[in-house]
Amino acid sequence: MTDTTTLSKDVIVKDTADFIKERFPAFNGVDVDGETPLLDNGEIDSLGILDLMNFLEERFGIEMTDDDFLPDYFESLSTLSELVLSKA
């Protein structure tokens, strides 16, 4: 887990991008950054969103709720990082 005193949007984006490239074949070989669309073409399905939520909880020591399963949060790594920072 990253110490919350050093937790930044850049750290969240990098760590989550690494997870996404490893976990989701559609992102293999893709330059994933803060603005990469995550849901546009079905690259991440509903089970993938659950995997991603679990990763975020474990990696950054946060707790997600049902209210956090909104599509707006999953538009990009930038929007996801804002969610994580709001929970830290």
Side-chain angles (χ1 to χ4, degrees):
M1 179 178 89
T2 301
D3 184 340
T4 55
T5 59
T6 60
L7 188 60
S8 70
K9 187 174 183 175
D10 290 339
V11 169
I12 297 165
V13 168
K14 183 200 173 304
D15 290 357
T16 308
D18 291 345
F19 171 79
I20 285 172
K21 288 190 278 187
E22 181 180 309
R23 168 64 179 81
F24 302 102
F27 292 100
N28 287 341
V30 174
D31 184 24
V32 178
D33 63 21
E35 301 310 314
T36 303
L38 301 178
L39 303 178
D40 281 357
N41 299 312
E43 291 92 344
I44 301 177
D45 61 12
S46 58
L47 291 177
I49 289 175
L50 291 175
D51 285 345
L52 184 53
M53 295 290 270
N54 284 332
F55 165 79
L56 295 172
E57 287 183 324
E58 290 175 15
R59 176 68 181 96
F60 301 110
I62 60 173
E63 185 175 327
M64 301 292 209
T65 66
D66 290 345
D67 293 335
D68 299 323
F69 283 86
L70 299 175
D72 291 349
Y73 291 131
F74 293 90
E75 286 182 10
S76 68
L77 290 180
S78 182
T79 55
L80 263 182
S81 67
E82 291 169 10
L83 173 64
V84 170
L85 286 172
S86 76
K87 299 281 186 178

